[in-house]
Amino acid sequence: MPTQKDEVYGDHISHQFNEELAELKTEFLKMGGLVEQQLMDSIQALIENDGQLADDVRGRDKVVDKMEIAIDEEATKVIARRQPTARDLRLVVSVIKMVADLERVGDESKKIAKFAMGLSQEGQAPRGYVEARHIGNHVASMLHDALDAFARLDSEQALRVMKEDKRVDEEYQAATRTLLTFMMEDSRNISRCMSVMWVLRALERVGDHACNIAENVIFMVKGEDVRHASMERAEEVVSR
Amino acid sequence: MPTQKDEVYGDHISHQFNEELAELKTEFLKMGGLVEQQLMDSIQALIENDGQLADDVRGRDKVVDKMEIAIDEEATKVIARRQPTARDLRLVVSVIKMVADLERVGDESKKIAKFAMGLSQEGQAPRGYVEARHIGNHVASMLHDALDAFARLDSEQALRVMKEDKRVDEEYQAATRTLLTFMMEDSRNISRCMSVMWVLRALERVGDHACNIAENVIFMVKGEDVRHASMERAEEVVSR
């Protein structure tokens, strides 16, 4: 959709502007890919007691942080230079918001890696790892699908991601109950189970961030903010 | 600071624009005030076993959510209509980011209220409440100071808020260790202590959000992004 500015200044500027928007999208998706990798590596480090991989994740978080700042800066420059309106403006504003979600997923991955390192040093029988792997895979696929929905501006796929969040919450509740039982059975389990609890909590938060990204995709495509709305309302917005 | 547009269109537009920016600030601070109240009420509900107050907090969260959407919409409209640049643009973009932090503080308050309700029904001796009250007061004053720094565009006060975050993290670590000890002493404590753990975690996150707001204030005033920078770098930026 052309902006006012494009209409005024004609094709050449419009072409440059489109390239800048495409570049912003590309950078965002690059950051998304890195964060996805961070998440998957942190889960693998936990499950496989891989202290080295956990250490790698922690080290790479700085790259994620730098990308956040660079994309934010670029998005703000695009606003100042191109003065986008309507759909283009929604895209740029959404990128600014979604970058914060990606950075948080990076942080949660770093946190998971930290607990993975602690747990790998203890070297005892894992408790709650089945649950952590299951929820981890679930939220990793939500994040992947949310980023894919953004890449293709596919609001229906974004809606599917939003629907998954409720299932993740249920899985998370069930997993924390299981861990609570382990803790009550034997107080020697408490410290380790607490670490796994924090991992599960971090994973549950990743699901929330994937959901936020999905909500932004719907906002970009449909122009309506579906945050805090009912699932029925979100369905209505997407189907129109 | 006048924007390019103001310079071109003269005083009248500039005056309207300034009013719109002032209105955006006012609405943001109104949301901030409500969120502060939500946080303090949730802590009070916990400490005083006040189930009714906890219920009020949960009910009022919808108001916070609506304010988030309204302010976001207004900020996006200001960009489209006024095409701000430089310092004005930084203000608007920062408001969009900080509104997300305020909404999260609202969510954490709702979560604390939920645990307060559960704990008030159990009616047993509180464990970790001293710590929760202490950290709660600490992060509430950080949030207050961060909002105040925004209201007065005071980057030095924002820097002080950033410095507090480290102390909160230390208090949080100490408190979780204390709770872990209670859990190990007697397995009947585990379930209740877990609830208090989640409360402490929520409070620690509030400190992070106050810190994010403070970082945005420095960005607005100084034009440099100090997220992920060292404290020394942040001090340099603020002192220049």
Side-chain angles (χ1 to χ4, degrees):
Chain A
M1 188 190 284
T3 66
Q4 285 178 350
K5 182 118 190 170
D6 294 338
E7 283 159 12
V8 172
Y9 288 88
D11 277 337
H12 182 62
I13 294 279
S14 168
H15 177 67
Q16 277 187 7
F17 182 26
N18 284 338
E19 270 189 4
E20 281 183 21
L21 288 182
E23 174 69 13
L24 201 59
K25 268 183 86 166
T26 305
E27 286 304 309
F28 176 80
L29 287 169
K30 208 186 278 177
M31 180 177 175
L34 176 58
V35 167
E36 265 190 78
Q37 192 62 49
Q38 288 284 85
L39 175 64
M40 287 186 296
D41 284 351
S42 72
I43 299 166
Q44 195 185 329
L46 176 82
I47 305 295
E48 298 180 2
N49 278 324
D50 188 339
Q52 180 58 51
L53 186 59
D55 203 39
D56 291 348
V57 171
R58 295 180 77 182
R60 278 196 305 258
D61 190 53
K62 283 194 180 58
V63 185
V64 176
D65 290 346
K66 278 188 187 147
M67 289 178 96
E68 178 191 24
I69 290 181
I71 294 173
D72 256 357
E73 213 177 290
E74 192 47 41
T76 311
K77 273 187 194 155
V78 168
I79 295 178
R81 235 182 350 232
R82 302 296 177 191
Q83 308 179 335
T85 58
R87 194 172 169 141
D88 295 332
L89 179 55
R90 289 205 301 273
L91 171 71
V92 181
V93 168
S94 292
V95 164
I96 290 174
K97 289 186 197 173
M98 293 186 302
V99 154
D101 283 300
L102 284 184
E103 191 269 340
R104 288 294 313 160
V105 173
D107 269 2
E108 302 292 355
S109 305
K110 190 171 79 168
K111 214 176 295 170
I112 293 167
K114 196 189 82 184
F115 285 114
M117 284 176 86
L119 286 159
S120 81
Q121 278 153 16
E122 290 189 12
Q124 286 172 302
R127 292 283 198 180
Y129 278 25
V130 175
E131 289 80 1
R133 177 162 52 192
H134 180 68
I135 297 177
N137 288 340
H138 198 165
V139 298
S141 91
M142 276 173 74
L143 179 63
H144 182 83
D145 291 349
L147 290 168
D148 195 49
F150 169 74
R152 298 186 290 108
L153 291 176
D154 181 342
S155 61
E156 283 175 21
Q157 175 153 337
L159 183 67
R160 283 193 292 275
V161 172
M162 285 176 68
K163 285 181 181 168
E164 286 302 310
D165 201 38
K166 201 170 162 242
R167 279 183 48 209
V168 168
D169 287 347
E170 286 162 4
E171 287 162 7
Y172 168 71
Q173 295 299 340
T176 56
R177 276 195 299 272
T178 305
L179 279 165
L180 215 52
T181 313
F182 292 145
M183 289 158 86
M184 287 172 177
E185 271 169 20
D186 186 343
S187 68
R188 284 169 300 179
N189 290 330
I190 290 178
S191 175
R192 263 173 306 140
C193 283
M194 274 307 303
S195 295
V196 182
M197 282 271 195
W198 297 128
V199 168
L200 293 175
R201 176 81 193 128
L203 291 172
E204 190 265 344
R205 290 293 303 143
V206 171
D208 289 344
H209 291 294
C211 210
N212 291 349
I213 292 172
E215 287 165 351
N216 270 292
V217 171
I218 294 174
F219 174 66
M220 273 182 271
V221 179
K222 298 293 181 176
E224 186 165 322
D225 197 332
V226 295
R227 290 176 297 178
H228 316 302
S230 67
M231 198 50 80
E232 289 70 34
R233 179 68 197 145
E235 275 169 1
E236 256 176 61
V237 169
V238 168
S239 68
R240 78 190 175 197
Chain B
M1 186 189 284
T3 67
Q4 286 178 348
K5 181 119 191 166
D6 295 338
E7 282 158 12
V8 172
Y9 288 89
D11 277 339
H12 181 63
I13 294 280
S14 169
H15 178 67
Q16 276 187 7
F17 181 27
N18 284 338
E19 270 189 5
E20 281 184 20
L21 288 181
E23 174 69 14
L24 201 59
K25 269 183 83 166
T26 305
E27 286 303 309
F28 176 78
L29 287 169
K30 208 186 279 178
M31 181 177 174
L34 176 59
V35 166
E36 265 191 78
Q37 192 61 51
Q38 288 284 86
L39 174 64
M40 287 186 296
D41 284 351
S42 72
I43 298 165
Q44 195 185 329
L46 176 83
I47 305 296
E48 298 181 2
N49 279 324
D50 188 339
Q52 179 57 50
L53 186 59
D55 203 39
D56 291 349
V57 171
R58 296 180 77 184
R60 278 196 304 258
D61 190 53
K62 283 193 179 59
V63 184
V64 176
D65 290 347
K66 277 187 188 147
M67 289 178 96
E68 178 191 24
I69 290 183
I71 294 172
D72 256 358
E73 214 177 289
E74 192 48 40
T76 311
K77 274 187 194 156
V78 168
I79 296 178
R81 233 181 353 229
R82 303 293 177 193
Q83 308 180 337
T85 58
R87 192 172 169 142
D88 295 332
L89 179 56
R90 290 204 301 274
L91 171 70
V92 181
V93 167
S94 293
V95 165
I96 289 173
K97 288 186 197 172
M98 294 187 301
V99 154
D101 284 299
L102 284 185
E103 191 270 338
R104 287 295 313 159
V105 173
D107 268 2
E108 302 292 355
S109 304
K110 189 172 80 169
K111 215 176 294 167
I112 293 168
K114 194 188 84 183
F115 285 114
M117 284 176 85
L119 286 159
S120 81
Q121 278 154 16
E122 288 190 14
Q124 286 172 302
R127 292 283 198 180
Y129 278 24
V130 175
E131 289 80 1
R133 178 162 52 190
H134 181 67
I135 298 177
N137 288 341
H138 198 166
V139 298
S141 91
M142 278 173 73
L143 179 63
H144 182 82
D145 291 349
L147 290 169
D148 195 48
F150 169 73
R152 298 186 290 108
L153 291 177
D154 181 342
S155 61
E156 284 176 20
Q157 175 153 336
L159 184 67
R160 284 193 292 274
V161 172
M162 285 176 68
K163 285 180 180 168
E164 286 302 310
D165 201 39
K166 199 167 165 246
R167 279 183 48 208
V168 168
D169 286 348
E170 286 162 5
E171 289 163 5
Y172 168 72
Q173 296 298 339
T176 56
R177 277 194 299 273
T178 305
L179 279 166
L180 215 52
T181 314
F182 292 145
M183 288 159 86
M184 286 172 177
E185 271 169 19
D186 186 342
S187 68
R188 285 169 300 179
N189 290 330
I190 290 178
S191 175
R192 262 173 308 143
C193 283
M194 274 307 303
S195 294
V196 182
M197 282 269 195
W198 296 129
V199 168
L200 294 174
R201 175 83 193 125
L203 292 172
E204 189 264 343
R205 289 293 303 142
V206 170
D208 290 343
H209 291 295
C211 210
N212 291 349
I213 292 172
E215 287 165 352
N216 270 291
V217 171
I218 295 175
F219 174 65
M220 273 183 271
V221 178
K222 299 291 181 180
E224 185 164 322
D225 197 331
V226 295
R227 289 177 296 179
H228 317 302
S230 67
M231 198 50 79
E232 290 69 33
R233 179 69 196 142
E235 275 170 1
E236 256 176 60
V237 169
V238 168
S239 69
R240 77 188 177 203

